[in-house]
Structures are given as C-alpha cells and as structure tokens.
Amino acid sequence: LAAEGATVAGSGLATLQYVHEPGVTDLTWGHPDPTLLPVDEVAAAAETMLHEQGWKALTYGFAAGPAVMTEALIAHLPTIGERPPRPDELVVTSGNSSALSMLFSLFSRPGDVVLVEAPTYFLALRIIADHPVTVVGVRTDSEGIIPAALAEAAGRTVANRGHRFVYCVPTHNNPTGATASPARRIALADVAAKHGLTIIEDDVYREVSWHDRPGAGLAPSIWSLCDGGEVVRLGSFSKTLGPGLRVGYLTAPTAMAGSIVDSGVLDSGGGVNHFTACIVGTMIADGSYVRVRDALVASYADRSQALCRGLATGDRLRFASPGGGYFVWAELPGGLSSAEFVGQARAAGVACTDGRVFFPETADSSPHTAPGAHVRLSFSLYPADDLAAAGRTLAAVADRLVVA
C-alpha cells in the first residue's frame, strides 16, 4: 500500500481506494490487509469456472444472478444460521453500497423518511444523501436501535405515498460493534410492521464473527426471524473474500425482489457482475470460500484482541472487545472532545475516525451515543503487533490529555 501510494503521488493516477500517510498507523480504513486477500484461490476458481461455464461466463447474465451463484447461496445461507431464501426472494448485487443505492433509486420518492441508527455507518449516510429523502437518527444502546425510540421517531414522521425505511447494522455494527439479540430484532420488526416501515438490514459482517461462529449462536438476521415481513437483508463477500470482486446479494419480499429484477438497468445490462458472481458461486460450491473466510476471520480475531490489549494499558478509554466485524468503538473520558483526541493521536502517529461523522444531522441523542464522545478504530488493515502498539499509543494519549 505504501508503494502504491508513492506511485499515485508521482503519476496522479490511482488503482486503489487508499491514501497512504507515511509514519502514521491509520486506523480509519475499514479495508482488508492486502496480505490476506486470496489471490491464488480466486485465480484457481476463475480457471475452474471458465472451464465449466465457457462462453456463458462472458455473455449477458440472468437478471437475478447466475444459477451457479444463486444455487450456492441457497445452500450456504443455512450454514450460517439463515433461512434459505426462495429463488424469487434472492437477487445478486455488486455489494451492499450499490444495493443500498439501488433500493432508494427504485423505491423512494422525494420527501420519504429514512430512520437510521445514531450512530450509523457514515458512508451509508452519504449514499442516502444522494437521494431526495429525509434522514432522521434514532437513539441506540448496546444492542443498537431502541424499539421505543424507533416507535417514537416513526410516530413523528408524516405518512406519505412511498416507503419509509429503517436502515440498520444489527450484527457487529459499524461503528459500535454492537450485536442485537433475537428479542431486540423481533421487537424492531414489530415496531416497523406497526408503523409501515421497511427495514434495510445491512448484514455485511455476519460471517466476520469469532465469539459466536456463523450458524453457531449468532442471532439470526431480522429477515430470517420475520419470514414474510417488510425486511430487505443485504449480504456481501467484500469483508470475507475481497471487496474488489464487488459481489453481494440481497434477500427481500418477493414483490420487491421482482421489481429489482424487472428494473431497467438489469433489463439492459443483465445480471450484476455476472462474471465475478460465477467465480464466487464456484468458490462457495467447492468449499474454498469457507476455507478462505475462516482464515481471514481468525486473523481479524487476533488483530482485534491485540488492539484491545493495547487500549487496556491505559485507564481512561472505555470500550467493549468486539465479537466480530472490523471495528472498536472507544468512548473518550468526560470533558475530552473527539476533535482534540483525534488531533493529538495523529500527532503521536495513530489516525482514528472522529465519532461525530457517524451521526446524521437530525438525530436524537443519549448518553450512550452522544456525538463527539467516541472514536472508531479499525483493526483489519494492520498486523497484530502494529495494532497492539497503536492501542498503547492511544491509551497513553487519552491518559495524558486527561491529566493535562
């Protein structure tokens, strides 16, 4: 990555979504470590797939996704504790970001309301802002959105002709790392149904889980728990296989899935990312995907624990060790602003993300989620030793600022 950054600086041309800052351990990027990306495994799967599929891999694909991918997904999802979707509930996507944008393009109208967690994934806020809708933040606790707060916020919104959405990340949340219990998920679905809300469940980190392995104790998705409800679940292979593949999927009520499949862009272009979807489907079917996933997840578990060990060397930062995902959400000592901490941490050689960017402009707040009281730390990009050192640096900065 450093070499790539130097090339960009010299030519002005870039290949990667990354900016390198020499001398800084940058914990702002929720990106995989390049050394973990399964280049050889993907190459082998591509060769196998091309041998099996031939010309079919290079032509226009079926709008809902190629059979090799949809069949593999239907078989794979029960292994991670999910309800197997029917074919008419499943659509292959090019990842959760584009799927989210596609949902708002197809199903929202100007003035529709989108209720989101406060805090929530800050780039989801940017995606939603590309559409003429109104965003309202809803209070959260250690399990995510508070059902009573969701009911209150929904009651304040004005009913309209289009959809009203709830966007949430209930499993290994970005940025907080929180995971909602089955009871909380059902309660959210009940509130949504009562108020005519459609839940968009961003489930990108479901398979990046170590305390509760996928399918062995991790709470099922809201979509799985609420068979037939107005829930769209977004799944992706960006965090477990490689974001450059741009392959994901969504499961949705039959009518919504059908509208997506019948959309103009899929009618014109065929299936989304047909070629790479065939590769990923091949990897799921032959077992190489699970082997790659488990190796990556084991490394991320070690990295998260190393960062937390470093953070625990101080007395002032409060955080919960995550059970999965890519992030630690650290609460700063009272009276210490996130802007001051981020600036001092960078001066000490560690970059972190100011917690304020995860809050929409219109948001209820609570002590648990007060804007400016937190920073987000990503542990996915660096090896464990670097993360432990970065954690110690951040802990020392917090202790020093409080004493000062």
Side-chain angles (χ1 to χ4, degrees), residues 169-258:
V169 188
T171 303
H172 305 314
N173 178 273
N174 179 2
T176 68
T179 294
S181 66
R184 171 61 62 88
R185 295 166 192 256
I186 291 171
L188 292 176
D190 288 345
V191 171
K194 179 179 179 180
H195 291 274
L197 306 172
T198 296
I199 295 175
I200 300 176
E201 179 181 15
D202 190 338
D203 214 11
V204 69
Y205 297 106
R206 171 162 295 275
E207 295 191 61
V208 187
S209 180
W210 36 92
H211 294 175
D212 294 312
R213 298 297 296 179
L218 194 60
S221 67
I222 301 173
W223 181 82
S224 286
L225 289 169
C226 302
D227 186 9
E230 286 294 306
V231 181
V232 181
R233 175 181 177 264
L234 307 182
S236 175
F237 296 92
S238 292
K239 309 303 182 184
T240 55
L241 197 54
L245 291 167
R246 303 314 313 151
V247 175
Y249 60 95
L250 63 80
T251 51
T254 300
M256 291 188 74

Side-chain angles (χ1 to χ4, degrees), residues 87-100:
D88 60 4
E89 297 176 305
L90 177 63
V91 182
V92 174
T93 71
S94 58
N96 286 12
S97 295
S98 60
L100 184 62

Side-chain angles (χ1 to χ4, degrees), residues 111-115 133-136 157-158 160 163-166:
D112 282 357
V113 174
V114 183
L115 302 172
V133 296
T134 300
V135 177
V136 176
T157 62
V158 178
N160 51 59
H163 279 77
R164 290 184 297 170
F165 295 95
V166 181

